[in-house]
Amino acid sequence: MIVRLLFLLSLIIAVGSMLGKIKVRGVSLGATFVLFVGLAVGHFYGSEVNNDLLDFIKDFGVVLFIYSIGLQVGPGFFSSFKKEGMMLNGLALLEVFLGVGVTIALFFFLNSFHSLHESGSFSMPMMVGVMSGAVTDTPGLGAATEALQQLQHSGAISEVPPISLGYAVAYPIAIVATIFAMMLVKWICRVKPEEEDKRLAELQNNSKNKPAILTFRITNRAIDGLMVSQMKQLYGHEAIATRLNDGEKIFIPHADTVLHFGDIILIVTDSEYAPLLEKLLGQKMSYIWKDDHDDLVSRRIVVTRGEINGKTIGQLHLRSALNVNITRINRAGMDLLARPDLVLQMGDRVMVVGPLENIRKAENMLGNTLKRLNDPHLVTIFLGIMFGIIAGSIPIHIPNLPMPARLGLAGGPLIVAILIGRFGYKLKLITYTTQSANLMLRELGLSLFLASIGLQAGGEFLQTVVSTDGLIFAASGLAITLLPALIVGLVARYLKLDFFTICGLIAGSHNNAPPLAYPNSLSDTDQASVTYSTVYPLVAFMRILIAQMMILLLYGLG
């Protein structure tokens, strides 16, 4: 029995993964083809598998998948709420709750017909399955399924309905409907991509979030004779003086370095305050700072030593000990100003300026051994999963519920993974995993989960698709996908957001990356992908919790 199950799962995942790579106009269904192949195999062989063992594999798969997502989004989860991210995440949440509202409205509408209600097909759990497919929310489907199992174990329900049927019917429609929503926003708002490109370029040039690297000739007589530390006090904001040309030599200035009229200085600061710095120092100028072995060089060093993980830049004392200067940090593709209190993490790319010999010493201190990043940190992964399972098992007492709610195998590991991804360095945990390693864990878990639910639900899928219920599932999924996306897209346009940001917002709110191919085909900008990454962490978190809460709070309605 076990050998047969392993054979079937391997067959399903292999064939599904191959079919998932097929693209139609740049769009593919990816790992979801594993579900479709699982449904096909389950139609013929689903009754011959051990359901208890299949439940274990399904649960283990969803834990791996969701925990990997949490580790990936953890470092940027809290920073996504800052500045412009607040508006984008607010709009994304609006789209999430609009989708929930449409789902509940459809539930009451469909069950207002006595004959439909008697069929039992349109219970709240089944509608949650349709909603999960309509927003391509596989983690939410896992959370909902796990919540139903909790209810079954408590005796509240007799059996778990195959909600993956609604998911499988709605999912393919969701990808097309998401792109159609983008096209409708473009048509209604009369968007011209070339004008959006120009507007976006202007906004990015005026961005206040990225570090500005500026060269000044000191022409303010009030600065003449002041030390660098005194100049920074007058400025009032974070500034890193990385190089100074006093007319005789180029060197790294220190806090007690005296500035003189006519000196040329290179400073890294927040773009927002650059005009203030220009008023303080004088003439901003174009100047080529030459790197050579005799003076100063700049190098990008990757943090790969575990001992550095969790330390602040100030704690390293690189300037005083090695006469080198950290100017900025690149983390997950984002440049950060190298403030003394910035905490370094494994995988950070550090821009260091100094004499070549000292740069090499800094490399030894920070690591710069890319091979170390390839080492798997299994302690962090399985320790986090263990605490995630514990967190998911804690009962949460909610009034009017016959049983306490739990975060379960979906919510618990997700929350713990986000917290470890963001704060794990405080416990000396190395949370960095290479993108390929994280993707491997995530896809493995997702494939095991989808293959398992496909095998279990396959016996009823064909009958559902060709029935009236299947058509209603499809129409419901279309409404859940299209209406919230269109409403939020138009609201975002009213708030003066550019079209590519709106496309990323719609895709991110649906956990749906394939539709990004549409805005990417209209422009070379990556704004849609950036916005997708900004809203995805919160949306992924909320959809998992909402799917589970809808089951636990509303199951009695169905």
Side-chain angles (χ1 to χ4, degrees), residues 79-366:
S79 61
S80 67
F81 301 113
K82 297 178 181 178
K83 296 182 180 180
E84 290 88 349
M86 285 292 291
M87 177 191 293
L88 293 175
N89 277 289
L91 289 170
L93 285 180
L94 174 62
E95 187 163 346
V96 171
F97 287 114
L98 282 174
V100 172
V102 172
T103 303
I104 294 175
L106 285 170
F107 166 78
F108 283 111
F109 173 75
L110 293 173
N111 283 283
S112 65
F113 298 98
H114 184 68
S115 61
L116 291 178
H117 182 70
E118 284 185 339
S119 73
S121 297
F122 304 101
S123 64
M124 181 55 69
M126 290 300 292
M127 293 307 296
V128 171
V130 173
M131 182 187 73
S132 297
V135 293
T136 62
D137 182 26
T138 306
L141 176 67
T145 304
E146 210 255 328
L148 285 168
Q149 290 173 343
Q150 288 183 34
L151 293 173
Q152 184 182 32
H153 293 157
S154 69
I157 59 176
S158 58
E159 61 179 332
V160 176
I163 64 175
S164 54
L165 292 176
Y167 172 91
V169 172
Y171 187 99
I173 297 171
I175 294 179
V176 178
T178 303
I179 297 175
F180 185 55
M182 297 175 183
M183 296 174 68
L184 278 177
V185 172
K186 178 175 178 287
W187 177 71
I188 294 173
C189 299
R190 299 180 180 179
V191 172
K192 296 181 179 179
E194 60 276 6
E195 292 182 1
E196 297 295 300
D197 268 335
K198 186 183 299 183
R199 176 187 172 194
L200 191 57
E202 292 175 356
L203 289 174
Q204 289 175 341
N205 289 335
N206 297 326
S207 173
K208 297 178 180 180
N209 296 325
K210 59 183 180 182
I213 306 170
L214 306 168
T215 299
F216 297 94
R217 183 185 297 277
I218 298 177
T219 57
N220 184 356
R221 292 288 182 180
I223 299 299
D224 187 42
L226 293 182
M227 293 186 296
V228 170
S229 59
Q230 294 173 315
M231 179 273 292
K232 289 183 178 180
Q233 290 176 358
L234 289 175
Y235 177 46
H237 303 284
E238 189 64 42
I240 303 169
T242 66
R243 305 187 199 187
L244 183 69
N245 185 342
D246 63 1
E248 296 181 0
K249 62 182 183 298
I250 299 175
F251 60 96
I252 296 177
H254 295 270
D256 58 355
T257 299
V258 178
L259 301 173
H260 298 286
F261 185 85
D263 286 352
I264 300 175
I265 188 170
L266 179 66
I267 292 182
V268 182
T269 187
D270 287 313
S271 299
E272 183 175 0
Y273 306 113
L276 178 61
L277 192 61
E278 185 174 1
K279 291 180 180 179
L280 177 65
L281 296 179
Q283 176 189 356
K284 187 169 69 172
M285 60 182 297
S286 296
Y287 185 84
I288 299 177
W289 296 90
K290 295 182 178 180
D291 288 344
D292 56 60
H293 295 342
D294 296 327
D295 296 310
L296 302 176
V297 297
S298 58
R299 291 287 187 273
R300 193 175 289 277
I301 300 175
V302 183
V303 177
T304 59
R305 284 190 64 198
E307 297 87 341
I308 302 298
N309 187 61
K311 289 190 175 182
T312 65
I313 292 176
Q315 289 175 322
L316 299 181
H317 304 293
L318 285 177
R319 180 177 291 200
S320 58
L322 298 179
N323 193 34
V324 298
N325 213 4
I326 296 180
T327 62
R328 57 192 186 278
I329 311 294
N330 185 278
R331 178 178 297 163
M334 180 182 297
D335 278 334
L336 306 173
L337 186 63
R339 304 175 187 275
D341 59 349
L342 180 68
V343 176
L344 293 174
Q345 297 183 18
M346 287 283 283
D348 284 349
R349 285 164 168 76
V350 180
M351 180 60 76
V352 179
V353 178
L356 181 60
E357 182 179 350
N358 294 9
I359 290 286
R360 289 170 177 162
K361 294 178 181 178
E363 288 180 343
N364 293 332
M365 177 182 289
L366 298 176

Side-chain angles (χ1 to χ4, degrees), residues 409-467:
L409 293 177
L414 175 68
I415 292 176
V416 170
I418 288 175
L419 293 176
I420 286 180
R422 177 62 181 86
F423 302 108
Y425 65 86
K426 293 181 180 292
L427 301 176
K428 303 302 180 183
L429 293 175
I430 298 175
T431 60
Y432 177 86
T433 55
T434 62
Q435 185 176 1
S436 59
N438 184 281
L439 184 61
M440 173 63 78
L441 280 177
R442 195 170 63 194
E443 291 297 305
L444 175 61
L446 177 61
S447 297
L448 287 173
F449 173 73
L450 292 178
S452 299
I453 62 175
L455 268 177
Q456 287 182 324
E460 301 176 44
F461 179 72
L462 184 60
Q463 181 180 353
T464 301
V465 170
V466 299
S467 67

